[in-house]
Every structure is written in C-alpha cells, then in structure tokens.
Amino acid sequence: MLSTREIKQRLRSITSIKQITRAMEMVAASRLKRVESRVLASRAYTDKMHQILSHLVSSSSLETAHPCFVEKAHEVPVIKIILITADKGLCGAYNNNIIQKVVRFAKEHADKTIRLVHIGKKGNLYFSKGGYSIEKYFPENVEKFGYSQVKALASQLIDGYEAGEFGQLYVFFTKFHTVMQSFPSHIQLLPVEKGAFEAKEKLQREYIFEPSADKIIEALFPKYIETQLYQCILESLTSEYAARRVAMIAATENAGEMIDELTRSYNKARQESITKELLEVVSGAEALVQH
Amino acid sequence: MAKTFTFEIITPEKVVYSDSVESVVADGTEGSFGVLAGHAPLITAVQTSILTVTDANNKTVRFAIDGGFLEVMANNVIVLTDTCLKEGEVDTEKARSEKDSAEKAILKVGSAGEKEKAQAALRRANTWLKLANK
C-alpha cells in the first residue's frame, strides 16, 4: 500500500500528463483539419490527371517511346523505395505499420538491391540500424516538404530512372481514409505500369492531340509523377495527424481513469490513517484514565 | 437554348469552377481555339493565358490560368492547371510587384532554368494584369 504522500505525487504527475496529451490532441485535431481539406482537394486533381493520362495511353496508338514506360526490372536489379513516415512518435502504430510493410517487402525482394529514400525521421532512424542502404534522407519536416521540393525530387527520380540507376521505384505511404482508419500502402511509380492506365470502358473515338501525343506525354508525365508523389505525402501527413489524434484521445482517457483510481485509493488511505490516529488517541486517553 | 456541356477547372488546391457551360475559349500551344457541345475528343496543352467561359445563362466568366492541360471527352471538359484566378480575384498590386521582380530576374545573369522560370512568372503576372484591366 502506498502512503498518501506517494499517491498524491503520482496523482499530480498524471494530471499534468493528461493536460499535455489533451493539448497534443487539440494540436493534432487542428492540424488534421487543415491538411484534410488539402488532401481531399488535391485528390480531385490527381484523379483527373490519372484519367487524362489513361485516356492518352489507351487511345493513342503510340507504342510509347517514353522511357518511363520501359521495363527495366530485369536489367537493373535495384529497387528504390521512398518511405514516408512521421518525424515524431506518439501517434500509435502509424510509423510501425508502414515500416513493417517495407521490411516485409524487402524480405520478399531479397534478390534485389534495395535503396531507401526517407522522408520523415522515424523511418530513417529505424532503417539506419538494420543494415539497409539508405540513399537519401530529407531531414526537414514532412509538413514543410513543399511542392517545389517534390518537383525537384521527381525530376531527379525520372532522370535517375532514364539513366538506369534503378529498375523500379515504389512509394510507401499511408493512405488516409477516415480519422479512425488509414491504410499503409504502396504504389509503383516507375516504370509506369501500363495496366494501371487501361481505360475501364473502351473509348469510342480517337482523340485529337495538340501538339502531338508524344509532346503531351512528355509534358504531362513529370507532372503526373509530381502530383502522385505530392499526394502520397499529403495522404501520409493526414494519416499521421489522425493517428496522433486518436492516440492522444486514448491517452487522455487512460489518464482520466488512472486519476479516478488513484483518487479513490488516496481517499481510502487518508481515511485509514485518520482511523488509525483516532484509535491511537482514544486508546492513549483510556490508558490515562485507568491510571 | 444552346446545347451545354460540363466544364471543370481543377488546381491542386481546389476545384475552381464546375458548371454546365455553353462554350469555352482557350489558348492552346498551337493557337486559340473554342469548344462547344459535341466537340470531338481532344487532349491539348494550354498556355498561360486567359480562358473565357460562356455559361448556360449566357454570362461570360474569365479566368487567368497558368499553363496546364485541357481534355475534351464526351461532353466533359476538364482543365488541369497549377493556379487559376477568376475575374475580380486578381490582386493587382501583387501582380505588379511580381511582374517587376520577374523582369529584374530576367535581366540578371542566371542559368537557363532560372531564366525560364522568370519568364514563366512574367507571363503569369502579365496574364493577371490583363485580366484585371478589362
């Protein structure tokens, strides 16, 4: 049994923990609101971009000479992975889920060289210990990772692919669904799978292209990679805040329960000590009277 | 009443415009063109320019778009662009200051990429001003 003093100390520390988790929950909630609207807005853009590209690929007879469509997996046994994680912990299983997915993927593709590019500190921390080859790590905050940086990264990746530095490029990110639900997922960014662009319904007519299909693909393609990458980052960011918010709500609730319990045992201990003291006084008085 | 089709302008930030319209006039890389209902399927790159839309009530709305792509597909027309400002949304002062800084950047010695960027910024600022002045 703890003494009243010890219980009081624990109560105090848990109360301040509760305050902190509540504050973190609120911060996460407000950030979530901000990025959530951004992710939903840019989804429309990304989807339409995908749609236009798929129309382009499936309707034009061009046996696309664009190098990003050419399979290189057999020639270059190197897989590049972009992993998007959070910079901070305290967001439930968010980081762990996506990291484990990458670990599983790496095991399945053990015959190939895997190179990692990290956006977010947590992924970098995990993989720097395990003997993985880390090619690049962006130390800035995931939230500050703006479109211009995505643009630079995308053009680097496309150049690298064309030069034959790697045979496949995957992005591992967490897809945001609802606040309670998000899915660790991955997409293959390069080479572009033609299958992903097969139009669902056959197009009735041929498109007119201006200036020419090749030129449009050339201009549209880097944009497509950029928007995909940017979308992945936004999705991950939203999932992160959602996960953090849920984790902090749970933590606040747990702290509340603990405070209740401790208060109860504090009261019990206090009462017991009062009873004990009373008994001592009474028996002391009795002993005096008997004299 | 003339036939209409659905028209959308989408930027990474938001869906700027989505309505059924009568006609769209835009500047493609190969010159200006118009789209009416029943247009043949088309995919084209558009320039940083002013895009004129006539909606179902015969009102014209003008937008300054910053490059991008336009797709016509079965009476659906979509414009994807980086930024888009509606008529009356242009901040003239900001456009002017951007124009000035772009002009300065062009005169400065820099790499070809920087020059191109500055020129793009200048075109954008000019389009904004053009939209604001009319």
Side-chain angles (χ1 to χ4, degrees), chain A residues 173-210:
Chain A
F173 67 107
T174 311
K175 194 166 172 57
F176 176 73
H177 185 57
T178 62
V179 176
M180 303 301 287
Q181 243 187 338
S182 51
F183 308 104
S185 22
H186 68 286
I187 52 168
Q188 181 179 334
L189 218 52
L190 287 171
V192 175
E193 290 172 295
K194 269 197 146 180
F197 289 118
E198 290 299 314
K200 279 166 202 115
E201 69 273 33
K202 261 273 170 256
L203 298 169
Q204 319 91 324
R205 279 179 290 178
E206 288 278 292
Y207 272 93
I208 306 166
F209 297 108
E210 256 186 40

Side-chain angles (χ1 to χ4, degrees), chain A residues 7-8 12 21 28 83 94 106 121 140 160 194 196 198 216 231-232 237 247 259 286-287:
Chain A
I7 294 176
K8 223 170 178 179
R12 223 173 339 201
T21 55
L83 170 63
Y94 167 79
K121 196 163 138 199
E140 54 269 81
K194 269 197 146 180
E198 290 299 314
I216 291 176
Q231 184 71 25
C232 289
L237 204 57
I259 287 172
E286 261 172 24

